[in-house]
Amino acid sequence: MVVSVIANQTIIKKNIYIPFCPDCNSIAVKKQTQNKIHKYIYICEECGASVAAHSCDLAPMGFPADREISKLRYDTHIVFEDYAKSHNLSKSELYRKLATKFKKDRRNFHIGMLTYDELLKVYNYLKKQIKK
C-alpha cells in the first residue's frame, strides 16, 4: 500500500523509502557510506545516480542525481548557505522565500528536489543577490 509520493520520485510505505532514479526508472538502494556527514545514500545500481539520506529517518534528501546535477546541487548549497548567512535567514526562511520567488510549493522546494534547470535558476539568482 502506497502512503504517498514525493516529487513523483519516492514512494513511502510505512517509513520505508524507495527512491526511483529519474534517469533510468530503476529503484535506488540504500547503502552505508564512510562519509561523516551523510552516513547513508541511495544509489541507482543501473546508472550510478545517487542521493544522500537524512540521518534522522533515512529518508532521501531528494531524488537520485547524476554527477552533473550533484555538482550543481553542491554549488547551489554553497551559495544558499552564503546567502542565508549574509541575510541573517534560517534555511527554512530562505527555502520559503525561494519557493515564493520561483512560484513553487514549499513542501517540494528543496535543492535535492529541483531539476537541473530549476537548480541553475536558483543558483544564478542567489549568486547575483550575494554580489549586490
Side-chain angles (χ1 to χ4, degrees):
M1 175 176 79
V2 173
V3 176
S4 64
V5 176
I6 297 174
N8 296 324
Q9 298 300 325
T10 306
I11 298 175
I12 303 172
K13 297 180 180 183
K14 295 185 182 179
N15 294 332
I16 298 172
Y17 303 92
I18 309 168
F20 287 89
C21 178
D23 293 333
C24 66
N25 291 321
S26 296
I27 294 174
V29 296
K30 183 176 60 179
K31 302 255 180 172
Q32 192 166 9
T33 70
Q34 300 299 316
N35 188 308
K36 292 179 182 179
I37 298 170
H38 303 297
K39 296 188 184 214
Y40 288 90
I41 63 168
Y42 290 89
I43 188 161
C44 175
E45 293 182 328
E46 293 294 319
C47 70
S50 64
V51 63
H54 289 279
S55 59
C56 58
D57 63 1
L58 301 182
M61 293 183 169
F63 59 85
D66 61 21
R67 287 184 192 270
E68 184 179 22
I69 292 176
S70 293
K71 169 80 169 89
L72 185 54
R73 282 180 181 172
Y74 177 82
D75 293 344
T76 303
H77 269 111
I78 298 294
V79 297
F80 178 93
E81 290 173 13
D82 287 349
Y83 182 94
K85 186 177 180 180
S86 68
H87 288 77
N88 202 27
L89 295 171
S90 70
K91 288 181 181 182
S92 292
E93 289 169 327
L94 183 50
Y95 272 124
R96 202 172 308 112
K97 177 180 175 152
L98 291 171
T100 301
K101 162 84 177 136
F102 292 101
K103 297 176 177 57
K104 294 291 227 172
D105 181 349
R106 168 58 188 106
R107 291 170 294 179
N108 289 323
F109 193 88
H110 184 276
I111 289 171
M113 294 179 171
L114 301 177
T115 66
Y116 183 87
D117 291 339
E118 291 167 335
L119 276 169
L120 200 54
K121 287 177 187 174
V122 169
Y123 175 84
N124 288 331
Y125 170 77
L126 291 172
K127 196 79 168 157
K128 185 177 177 183
Q129 296 301 310
I130 289 170
K131 289 182 179 179
K132 285 186 176 179

